[in-house]
Amino acid sequence: QVQLVESGGGLVQAGGSLRLSCAASGRTFSSYAMGWFRQAPGKEREFVATISRGGSNINYADFVKGRFTISRDNAKNTVYLQMNNLEPEDTAVYFCAACAAGRSVVAAPYDYWGQGTQVTVSS
């Protein structure tokens, strides 16, 4: 069992930055690939980024355009999402998730999900 708790969301102006954190419980954090997804009101949950167990392999959604960086610290059981040059279209609830099967750009294979953290970008 893995419990995930996101933090770091908030209200920011367009062009600003936020750093999301996702702290995982348990001693098996390094056994899971991790991902970030987001869901805007009235829209489906969409993939943002994923990172492999050791952190050496990463995938991003096309809309990230070099603005976001996913990273992890296995010693701290934490995965991060650094978001720069934020746009109003980035407004959403951001979720982290853990996947035992490895990196995935779709939500279905992920085994555990956090409760989400709200990111609001004003224009």
Side-chain angles (χ1 to χ4, degrees), residues 2 6-7 26 34 45 48-49 71 74 81 93 104 110 116:
V2 176
E6 301 96 336
S7 61
M34 299 298 296
R45 190 169 299 189
V48 177
S71 62
N74 286 345
L81 185 68
V93 178
S104 176
Y110 285 83

Side-chain angles (χ1 to χ4, degrees), residues 16-38:
S17 298
L18 285 173
R19 187 194 195 202
L20 306 184
S21 299
C22 173
S25 66
R27 296 174 292 177
T28 60
F29 177 71
S30 60
S31 300
Y32 294 86
M34 299 298 296
W36 285 96
F37 289 76
R38 70 185 189 182

Side-chain angles (χ1 to χ4, degrees), residues 35-116:
W36 285 96
F37 289 76
R38 70 185 189 182
Q39 188 166 18
K43 295 187 177 181
E44 295 187 351
R45 190 169 299 189
E46 65 176 349
F47 166 73
V48 177
T50 183
I51 187 168
S52 60
R53 298 174 183 88
S56 58
N57 295 295
I58 289 171
N59 298 90
Y60 292 105
D62 289 343
F63 64 77
V64 168
K65 302 175 187 176
R67 301 180 297 130
F68 296 0
T69 303
I70 188 173
S71 62
R72 67 188 295 164
D73 186 338
N74 286 345
K76 295 183 178 180
N77 283 9
T78 302
V79 62
Y80 305 96
L81 185 68
Q82 176 68 44
M83 304 187 295
N84 299 326
N85 196 18
L86 283 161
E87 304 168 351
E89 294 74 20
D90 296 316
T91 295
V93 178
Y94 284 70
F95 300 88
C96 70
C99 186
R103 286 175 300 141
S104 176
V105 300
V106 298
Y110 285 83
D111 304 286
Y112 302 101
W113 292 82
Q115 82 290 348

